[in-house]
Amino acid sequence: MSLKEQFGKDVLITGWGHSRFGKLVDETLESLIVQVATNALSTAGVEPSQIDEVYVGQFNAGMMPLAFPSSLALQVSPDLANVPATRVENACASGSAAFQQGTKSLLAGTAKTVLVIGAEKMTHAGADVVGAALLGADYDMAGKQSTTGFTGLFAEVAKHYAKRYDAAGNLGDVLGSIAAKNHRNGVDNPYAQLRKDLGEEFCRTVSDKNPMVADPLRRTDCSPVSDGAAAVVLSVSPTGGATAPVRLAGFGQANDFFPTDRRDPTAFEATRASWHRALAMAGVGLEDLDLAEVHDCFTIAELLMYEAMGLTAPGEGARAIEEGWVYKDGKLPVNVSGGLKAKGHPVGATGVSQHVLAAMQLTGTAGDMQLAAPRRAAVQNMGGVGIANYVSILEAV
């Protein structure tokens, strides 16, 4: 049963906008929001006066003094005056949280056209400020000092994984291959922060240019600190925009327990549940997908996504990269955009960006990133160490 069959109405992505990701010194949070929202409305063929609600995904957590950005979207046009606008925050999944809130407004019938924006400014803040903000998304480390930050948390996941599954000692090479794949894919993405093919040897090797950040994670295993924004228009019917719309066929959300001692560090059980719920609502299986954009904040996270989505059994995620399944010409290309690893990770923008890049693939407008006529895509976005989890299944119309 698809979303439309379950709720009796369509949810369509009818337009989108996407900024470049990176260190954007000439942009403000406001200018980024206005840029992507304006582009989304234009490509959807929608006037600002037709927007019923606005949702803005942003994490912030002290990285910017302004912690109340919802009305910045109204700067797009005087015709947005008095439109309801809400900031949505769920750590690094804030963008997808905003997307699902917009979806639920359409399904509830309180809106027919919704503007969803994800945005973040990070690079102006010092490493200590960014590190402390991100650690605020962890139950055990929030407010504490750390020399390795969130990298250290995922390094612990990698250590647990290696102890349980990596008897051959190949995990470092597997993670290096994931990094190299995503850096290669990022070359073709004009929005990406890191557009350089680094190669497997560089990504697998500790060096002066690729130091160990938190053993076993090297610099190339970590997504960068980024500025950027993305936006989509969600509608219950086609709007006559510049491209064909994209249908939301199913979605899922699941949260895990916050304390580390209440979670299996390598199972990512709530991530798995969000995948199951989204696929079940869409009435499809993994074999029906043509691509997936997943939350590779660190390479170990992408490896665990292979297992959480059911592409491999637990402990066998290496097969997906070693046998070529997740490359552009594989049976399920993963992170054709370059993922967070190469595209960048402005945390509040990431989930919306993933939806935009998937929608571009499904409408044949992805340029040099374009796959051969994909019909169905998945988007997976995560906050914390597998805590807040969102999955969307998108279909070409």
Side-chain angles (χ1 to χ4, degrees):
M1 179 180 289
S2 68
L3 179 151
K4 185 175 183 180
E5 291 168 333
Q6 183 171 339
F7 294 98
K9 62 176 70 176
D10 256 330
V11 174
L12 302 174
I13 302 176
T14 53
W16 48 81
H18 200 297
S19 79
R20 185 170 62 86
F21 282 5
K23 187 173 183 178
L24 309 180
V25 294
D26 295 327
E27 300 283 1
T28 63
L29 184 67
E30 180 178 334
S31 69
L32 287 167
I33 286 173
V34 169
Q35 175 195 148
V36 297
T38 300
N39 290 342
L41 292 169
S42 176
T43 59
V46 167
E47 296 298 326
S49 59
Q50 295 174 267
I51 296 297
D52 299 312
E53 293 185 33
V54 177
Y55 288 96
V56 179
Q58 188 213 23
F59 180 42
N60 192 353
M63 291 184 287
M64 287 193 64
L66 179 65
F68 180 45
S70 52
S71 278
L72 290 179
L74 275 56
Q75 300 294 84
V76 170
S77 169
D79 290 335
L80 286 173
N82 303 319
V83 170
T86 304
R87 177 198 176 200
V88 180
E89 189 281 314
N90 220 0
C92 297
S94 295
S96 285
F99 182 92
Q100 283 201 14
Q101 288 304 116
T103 294
K104 291 173 182 178
S105 289
L106 297 184
L107 295 178
T110 58
K112 293 183 178 180
T113 310
V114 174
L115 176 62
V116 178
I117 303 162
E120 208 77 63
K121 277 285 290 182
M122 303 173 69
T123 64
H124 63 285
D128 57 336
V129 174
V130 173
L134 295 177
L135 281 176
D138 185 76
Y139 179 87
D140 301 292
M141 290 301 298
K144 297 180 180 179
Q145 295 294 317
S146 171
T147 58
T148 56
F150 233 80
T151 309
L153 301 181
F154 273 89
E156 287 302 309
V157 172
K159 289 176 183 176
H160 282 289
Y161 189 93
K163 183 177 180 180
R164 185 176 298 181
Y165 297 119
D166 187 34
N170 294 329
L171 181 61
D173 284 350
V174 171
L175 298 183
S177 294
I178 292 172
K181 169 182 71 73
N182 290 347
H183 275 287
R184 174 62 192 88
N185 288 349
V187 172
D188 295 328
N189 184 352
Y191 304 121
Q193 181 170 354
L194 305 174
R195 301 185 67 188
K196 186 175 182 179
D197 184 358
L198 297 178
E200 286 205 356
E201 185 64 26
F202 180 85
C203 293
R204 289 178 167 188
T205 305
V206 176
S207 65
D208 289 342
K209 292 185 177 180
N210 189 27
M212 192 71 75
V213 180
D215 190 22
L217 301 182
R218 300 145 298 208
R219 180 178 291 165
T220 49
D221 293 306
C222 310
S223 58
V225 173
S226 316
D227 306 326
V232 295
V233 173
L234 300 179
S235 310
V236 294
S237 59
T239 56
T243 69
V246 171
R247 175 178 290 114
L248 178 65
F251 63 91
Q253 179 190 357
N255 273 52
D256 211 336
F257 294 106
F258 220 176
T260 303
D261 61 9
R262 296 198 66 182
R263 289 179 278 120
D264 182 324
T266 66
F268 278 48
E269 292 169 352
T271 310
R272 189 180 303 274
S274 63
W275 274 98
H276 175 78
R277 290 168 183 172
L279 290 167
M281 183 185 290
V284 300
L286 208 63
E287 67 279 3
D288 298 309
L289 300 179
D290 297 306
L291 71 141
E293 288 288 323
V294 308
H295 193 98
D296 63 320
C297 49
F298 301 93
T299 51
I300 184 62
E302 180 167 329
L303 182 68
L304 287 167
M305 288 315 113
Y306 301 159
E307 300 176 11
M309 73 171 77
L311 189 59
T312 76
E316 297 180 9
R319 289 187 63 199
I321 190 80
E322 290 171 349
E323 298 183 24
W325 301 351
V326 292
Y327 288 89
K328 282 186 175 182
D329 57 354
K331 66 179 183 180
L332 182 61
V334 172
N335 286 336
V336 176
S337 69
L340 286 57
K341 174 79 265 297
K343 183 180 60 176
H345 184 29
V347 289
T350 287
V352 183
S353 166
Q354 291 173 310
H355 284 84
V356 170
L357 273 295
M360 291 173 67
Q361 287 286 348
L362 296 176
T363 54
T365 58
D368 290 340
M369 295 178 284
Q370 187 65 53
L371 298 173
R375 300 294 301 168
R376 190 175 288 114
V379 167
Q380 180 268 329
N381 188 201
M382 177 175 70
V385 186
I387 302 298
N389 302 272
Y390 296 82
V391 175
S392 297
I393 307 299
L394 305 180
E395 295 178 342
V397 175

